[in-house]
């Protein structure tokens, strides 16, 4: 981390104490990229004067201060970061405020968690979030004893403008007294090492979309380390294809592959926003067949713009609809016309979910749009872009082992359509395109052989970024779903220190665990398979459909939100999205069986009418397994799995339906918790 770029002003506290407030404000203002209001400069002056008074006893060369410290994951800046006697303070000011509002408390906590989780120099450090309401009363609540979570982040400290010095002193003394590590290993000893350590942010897709939409570069909001394929490298490869297509008047399609959570959607949004922000370039659009993802991102971007720009909500929504569209609406718009779209560059998210010929034709007839339709969705979508007389580019984002619905054509249909009808297109593809995860076992050599193909290693994203705490999560889940408990247990032991995965037989315990883990604005919620019909006796009704924008974006006081822990999202609601903490509710539709007539292993079922029916078709078995794979990989920080106890008096929920599943998960290493041992 370069302190000159990370913060608008940084110095030792000794230098800070001897520099005039006006000089410091001037240096901050030089770095500020926006027009600065008079109120902002006044706020900085107040903050500086209060800190110069309150930090006098700490004014040494070993203690440090940073103003307007960049928080890349959120595309925002913390007011102040302090390093005092080896302890990190993340400080937010509310000048003129006499109350500590909940949103301000959560914001401060979020900044502290961001620094702890994503700044390498702070991983092992003590971090204290501090909110200063300058005009608040000096009440006893401001002097509560400091409490520390397991990762070294303290409870929020609330301070007014007159007691900064005393509270900081008390916090430092408390940390030094309770530090359980020999030689204070968690205290920062070398400020230069801390300043120059790397920052590896991993934003949620919602945070990333908002930051990109505001104009931030991908490098500002994403991790950039040797362990992960750099998203900017992937984007650069795509932009080279776009530039060459435009220069040589060609039509090109790019296939980006990646493991679940590797950032394919983020890469696609980055490509789209970059094209939109270049005035000389034609329009670009991000398309997805994932309706909940489209609805959530549009609403999140609109709400953010309303807050930042104070525009009307309907105007903000109109703009986001031009940026992010439902692929089916895009398809329908060009069904009854032969004109080309206004967009020259289109990004298709989750392109493996495009429909095959049978289901596309069936849908067209059902909607009475067109009888006798004889093209798959990939073929029709390429045809729409092929209407351009000169050039265009399609970017198809391909996820592996994620098909969860009947009729999803997968990657083979895209190549088949190109080979059949568009052999003149240039094909640029990930070098991993022929992996079983993307081919559904279908050999691609024949289709690839007859196409103009160029392979690009940088078009494959190999490391999951969703869970910044556990890059091996998807591998662990594959072992569980693939009935490899020994391998799963080995991986579980590696995951456990940073990424808790626990199990309970009681739904209230699952809810309590989720509430106990979440801090600040971290999101948590319950998910279940769309076929989990017999969770209803546990108070979990998958037929009660959620409204995804409300579920993901509304606060914890809204009964419709995920954090209220009443409504559950299914695999269709949450694919492509994520929470920090997830409760996976496991029903008997995907149950483990030990030594039954059908043998030991996973058994696949659907609930029809009043009873369970076995699923025998391999394709439908794969969809069900993938549904649970999606549910188990939605959490960024940890998972609790709820397996009901069952009820032998209910023929649809006998205990053995669930006991064997719980036993298998235990064999995979997952530890069971109860109301009394939540930690």
């Amino acid at each position: 981390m370069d302190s000159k770029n990370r913060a608008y002003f940084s110095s030792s506290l000794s230098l800070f104490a001897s520099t005039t407030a006006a000089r410091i404000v001037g240096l901050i203002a030089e770095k500020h990229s926006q027009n600065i209001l008079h109120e902002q400069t006044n706020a900085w002056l107040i903050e500086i004067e209060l800190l110069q008074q309150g930090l006098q006893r700490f004014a040494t060369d070993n203690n440090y201060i940073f103003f307007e410290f960049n928080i890349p994951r959120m595309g925002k800046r913390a007011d102040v970061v302090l390093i005092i006697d080896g302890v990190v303070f993340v400080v937010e000011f509310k000048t003129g405020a006499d109350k500590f509002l909940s949103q301000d408390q959560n914001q401060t906590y979020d900044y502290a968690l961001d620094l702890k989780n994503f700044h390498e120099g702070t991983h092992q450090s003590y971090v204290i979030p501090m909110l200063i309401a300058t005009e608040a009363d000096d009440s006893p609540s401001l002097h509560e004893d400091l409490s520390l979570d397991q990762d070294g982040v303290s409870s929020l400290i609330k301070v007014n403008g007159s007691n900064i010095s005393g509270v900081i002193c008390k916090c430092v003394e408390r940390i030094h007294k309770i530090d359980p590590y020999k030689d204070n290993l968690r205290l920062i000893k070398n400020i230069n090492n801390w300043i120059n350590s790397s920052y590896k942010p991993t934003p949620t897709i919602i945070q990333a979309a908002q930051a990109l939409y505001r104009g931030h570069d991908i490098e500002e909001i994403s991790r950039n380390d040797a362990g992960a394929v750099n998203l900017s490298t992937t984007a650069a490869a795509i932009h080279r294809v776009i530039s060459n297509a435009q220069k040589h008047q060609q039509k090109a399609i790019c296939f980006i592959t990646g493991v679940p959570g590797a950032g394919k959607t983020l890469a696609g949004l980055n490509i789209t926003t970059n094209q939109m922000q270049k005035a000389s370039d034609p329009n670009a659009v991000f398309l997805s067949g994932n309706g909940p993802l489209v609805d959530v991102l549009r609403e999140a971007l609109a709400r953010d713009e309303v807050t930042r720009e104070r525009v009307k909500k309907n105007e903000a929504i109109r703009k986001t609809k031009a940026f992010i569209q439902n692929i089916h609406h895009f398809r329908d718009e060009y069904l009854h016309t032969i004109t080309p779209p206004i967009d020259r560059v289109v990004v298709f998210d989750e392109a493996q979910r495009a429909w095959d010929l049978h289901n596309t034709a069936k849908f067209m007839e059902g909607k009475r749009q067109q009888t006798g339709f004889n093209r798959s969705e990939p073929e029709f979508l390429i045809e729409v872009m092929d209407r351009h007389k000169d050039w265009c580019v399609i970017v198809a984002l391909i996820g592996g082992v994620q098909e969860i619905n009947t009729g999803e054509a997968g990657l083979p249909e895209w190549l088949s359509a190109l080979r059949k009808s568009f052999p003149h297109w240039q094909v640029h593809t990930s070098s991993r395109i022929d992996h079983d995860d993307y081919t559904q076992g279908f050999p691609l050599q024949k289709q690839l052989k007859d196409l103009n193909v160029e392979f690009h290693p940088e078009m494959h994203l190999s490391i999951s970024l969703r869970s910044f705490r556990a890059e091996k999560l998807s591998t662990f889940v594959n072992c569980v779903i693939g009935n490899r408990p020994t391998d799963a247990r080995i991986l579980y032991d590696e995951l456990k220190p940073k990424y808790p995965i626990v199990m309970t037989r009681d739904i209230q315990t699952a809810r309590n665990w989720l509430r106990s883990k979440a801090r600040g604005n971290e999101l948590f919620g319950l998910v279940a398979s769309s076929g989990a019909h017999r969770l209803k006796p546990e108070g979990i009704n998958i037929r009660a459909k959620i409204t995804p924008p409300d579920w993901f974006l509304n606060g914890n006081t809204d009964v419709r939100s995920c954090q209220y822990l009443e409504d559950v999202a299914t695999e269709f609601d949450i694919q492509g999205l994520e929470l920090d903490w997830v409760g996976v509710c496991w029903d008997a539709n995907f149950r483990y069986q030990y030594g039954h007539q059908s043998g030991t292993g996973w058994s696949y079922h659907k609930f029809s009418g009043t009873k369970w029916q076995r699923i025998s078709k391999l394709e439908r078995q794969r969809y069900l397994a993938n549904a649970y794979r999606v549910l188990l990989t939605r959490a960024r920080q940890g998972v609790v799995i709820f397996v009901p106890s069952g009820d032998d008096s209910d023929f649809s929920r006998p205990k053995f339906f669930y006991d064997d599943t719980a036993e298998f998960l235990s064999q995979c290493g997952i530890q069971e918790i109860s109301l009394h041992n939540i930690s």
Side-chain angles (χ1 to χ4, degrees):
M1 182 191 74
D2 182 349
S3 64
K4 294 181 180 178
N5 296 324
R6 184 64 66 198
Y8 288 166
F9 173 84
S10 61
S11 77
S12 67
L13 285 184
S14 59
L15 179 60
F16 172 70
S18 62
T19 306
T20 66
R23 171 62 175 160
I24 296 172
V25 168
L27 292 172
I28 295 173
E30 286 179 7
K31 297 285 185 68
H32 208 281
S33 60
Q34 299 176 350
N35 292 329
I36 303 173
L37 298 175
H38 181 66
E39 291 83 354
Q40 178 61 71
T41 57
N42 280 343
W44 283 330
L45 282 170
I46 293 171
E47 293 169 16
I48 293 165
E49 289 170 356
L50 285 174
L51 289 174
Q52 285 183 330
Q53 294 171 12
L55 300 178
Q56 286 181 1
R57 71 170 76 179
F58 308 109
T60 70
D61 290 341
N62 294 324
N63 294 330
Y64 234 75
I65 188 168
F66 302 83
F67 273 91
E68 297 293 323
F69 188 91
N70 190 19
I71 304 293
R73 184 173 63 101
M74 303 178 209
K76 298 180 180 180
R77 290 182 178 271
D79 288 339
V80 173
V81 172
L82 299 169
I83 310 293
I84 296 180
D85 292 352
V87 179
V88 181
F89 291 81
V90 179
V91 183
E92 274 297 289
F93 273 92
K94 298 301 171 184
T95 57
D98 59 2
K99 292 182 175 59
F100 300 94
L101 301 180
S102 59
Q103 62 264 33
D104 297 332
Q105 295 181 51
N106 286 338
Q107 180 189 46
T108 308
Y109 216 142
D110 285 345
Y111 289 166
L113 292 173
D114 189 281
L115 200 62
K116 160 61 74 170
N117 291 328
F118 306 117
H119 180 235
E120 199 166 51
T122 313
H123 284 342
Q124 300 302 319
S125 304
Y126 289 108
V127 181
I128 299 178
M130 177 177 288
L131 177 60
I132 301 178
T134 58
E135 304 304 316
D137 292 335
D138 189 5
S139 65
S141 64
L142 303 183
H143 306 286
E144 297 171 353
D145 285 339
L146 190 73
S147 63
L148 290 170
D149 285 323
Q150 191 173 9
D151 61 357
V153 178
S154 82
S155 53
L156 180 77
I157 302 298
K158 292 175 283 187
V159 186
N160 64 23
S162 64
N163 62 1
I164 296 173
S165 178
V167 171
I168 289 179
C169 186
K170 182 179 178 181
C171 289
V172 170
E173 289 176 354
R174 174 73 170 158
I175 291 293
H176 287 203
K177 182 177 180 180
I178 66 173
D179 189 339
Y181 293 83
K182 291 182 178 179
D183 301 321
N184 293 325
L185 293 181
R186 283 199 175 196
L187 300 178
I188 295 171
K189 300 294 180 61
N190 189 315
I191 189 65
N192 288 324
N193 288 345
W194 188 89
I195 289 173
N196 293 304
S197 61
S198 59
Y199 210 114
K200 303 173 184 177
T202 306
T204 68
I205 191 59
I206 294 171
Q207 292 167 336
Q210 290 172 332
L212 290 170
Y213 197 62
R214 295 183 204 126
H216 291 273
D217 291 332
I218 193 73
E219 292 87 350
E220 294 181 69
I221 62 168
S222 66
R223 54 189 285 184
N224 183 11
D225 58 299
V229 175
N230 192 354
L231 286 167
S232 60
T233 303
T234 302
I238 299 298
H239 288 306
R240 284 194 296 270
V241 172
I242 294 172
S243 178
N244 287 334
Q246 186 173 10
K247 180 179 179 181
H248 300 292
Q249 301 293 282
Q250 295 175 337
K251 295 170 182 176
I253 186 168
C254 304
F255 292 104
I256 297 177
T257 59
V259 300
K264 297 180 295 297
T265 301
L266 176 56
L269 289 169
N270 181 51
I271 293 162
T272 309
T273 52
N274 276 353
Q275 288 297 120
M276 290 174 60
Q277 289 160 10
K278 295 178 180 177
S280 60
D281 283 350
N283 289 345
V285 64
F286 181 89
L287 302 177
S288 176
N290 184 339
L293 176 70
V294 171
D295 292 343
V296 170
L297 290 183
R298 279 179 173 175
E299 180 69 16
L301 296 180
R303 290 186 188 185
D304 186 56
E305 185 163 26
V306 168
T307 301
R308 289 184 297 105
E309 305 294 338
R310 301 192 184 281
V311 299
K312 292 182 178 179
K313 180 71 175 290
N314 58 355
E315 179 183 344
I317 287 288
R318 180 182 54 79
K319 289 175 61 179
T320 63
K321 284 184 176 180
F323 171 45
I324 300 174
Q325 297 181 26
N326 189 301
I327 196 170
H328 303 311
H329 297 166
F330 179 89
R331 175 202 63 202
D332 295 347
E333 182 177 349
Y334 295 101
L335 185 62
H336 300 294
T337 179
I338 59 172
T339 59
I342 62 172
D343 307 293
R344 294 281 186 163
V345 177
V346 294
V347 177
F348 292 133
D349 190 34
E350 297 184 15
Q352 78 281 356
R353 298 182 68 182
W355 290 347
D356 59 20
L357 171 60
H358 172 75
N359 281 273
T360 307
K362 183 178 178 181
F363 177 84
M364 294 298 184
E365 291 183 8
K367 291 288 186 179
R368 297 182 180 179
Q369 292 179 312
Q370 188 167 334
T371 303
F373 193 87
N374 63 350
R375 283 164 289 176
S376 67
E377 194 168 34
E379 183 176 357
F380 178 69
L381 293 171
I382 299 173
E383 186 274 320
V384 169
M385 294 303 294
D386 194 57
R387 296 174 188 177
H388 287 290
K389 298 300 182 183
D390 40 22
W391 75 276
C392 62
V393 175
I394 292 173
V395 180
L397 310 176
I398 305 292
V401 292
Q402 290 188 343
E403 296 81 10
I404 57 176
N405 205 358
T406 301
E408 294 183 7
L411 173 61
E413 183 59 39
W414 285 90
L415 297 178
S416 177
L418 287 165
R419 181 170 174 266
K420 171 187 172 185
S421 306
F422 310 100
H424 57 288
W425 278 55
Q426 305 295 312
V427 179
H428 299 267
T429 180
S430 153
S431 56
R432 295 291 300 276
I433 196 173
D434 59 349
H435 194 278
D436 286 347
D437 283 352
Y438 312 108
T439 66
Q440 302 177 13
F442 189 88
L444 300 182
Q445 288 81 0
K446 187 175 181 179
Q447 284 100 325
L448 292 171
K449 181 180 178 182
D450 297 332
L451 295 171
N452 300 315
V453 180
E454 184 175 341
F455 295 94
H456 302 264
E458 61 270 37
M459 289 188 187
H460 176 70
L461 300 168
S462 61
I463 303 296
S464 177
L465 306 180
R466 173 175 295 121
S467 174
F468 56 89
R469 293 186 182 276
E471 293 177 347
K472 294 184 179 180
L473 175 63
S474 62
T475 307
F476 168 76
V477 171
N478 285 341
C479 291
V480 173
I481 301 297
N483 192 18
R484 290 153 43 207
T486 302
D487 294 338
R489 178 179 282 274
I490 294 171
L491 287 165
Y492 180 84
D493 289 338
E494 296 181 30
L495 290 169
K496 184 170 57 175
K498 291 185 177 180
Y499 188 97
I501 304 176
V502 297
M503 174 178 57
T504 180
R505 310 300 299 275
D506 176 73
I507 185 60
Q508 192 55 46
T509 299
R511 290 188 174 106
N512 291 349
W513 188 88
L514 291 169
R515 292 189 179 106
S516 73
K517 292 296 181 182
R519 298 175 291 183
N521 284 312
E522 290 179 346
L523 293 180
F524 55 92
L526 298 172
V527 300
S529 158
S530 58
H533 292 280
R534 295 313 294 147
L535 291 176
K536 192 173 181 181
E538 303 285 350
I540 299 167
N541 183 9
I542 55 96
R543 291 186 182 277
K545 301 300 182 184
I546 68 169
T547 302
D550 292 334
W551 197 82
F552 282 97
L553 302 176
N554 293 6
N556 58 11
T557 59
D558 191 316
V559 297
R560 299 166 296 176
S561 78
C562 59
Q563 296 174 85
Y564 221 77
L565 297 179
E566 286 189 0
D567 296 330
V568 296
T570 70
E571 69 272 20
F572 299 111
D573 298 317
I574 203 168
Q575 188 178 39
L577 292 159
E578 61 217 342
L579 302 175
D580 290 287
W581 305 92
V582 168
V584 177
C585 304
W586 205 298
D587 200 11
N589 59 331
F590 189 57
R591 71 184 77 145
Y592 201 83
Q593 294 183 326
Y594 282 102
H596 294 284
Q597 291 180 349
S598 58
T600 295
W602 290 110
S603 185
Y604 305 80
H605 301 264
K606 67 175 182 178
F607 195 77
S608 181
T610 61
K611 60 182 180 181
W612 292 105
Q613 295 179 351
R614 188 178 296 277
I615 297 174
S616 56
K617 288 187 177 180
L618 292 178
E619 180 185 44
R620 290 185 176 274
Q621 289 182 0
R622 185 175 75 248
Y623 292 151
L624 179 54
N626 284 347
Y628 276 84
R629 196 189 313 272
V630 167
L631 299 177
L632 289 165
T633 55
R634 294 306 96 187
R636 290 161 55 82
Q637 300 199 55
V639 175
V640 57
I641 300 172
F642 163 56
V643 182
S645 297
D647 183 353
D648 284 338
S649 67
D650 182 346
F651 70 92
S652 68
R653 300 187 302 122
K655 290 184 177 181
F656 76 88
F657 276 7
Y658 303 96
D659 288 346
D660 282 5
T661 298
E663 174 60 26
F664 174 74
L665 295 176
S666 178
Q667 292 297 315
C668 292
I670 300 174
Q671 298 176 346
E672 185 172 348
I673 61 170
S674 67
L675 278 171
H676 304 293
N677 65 355
I678 291 177
S679 62

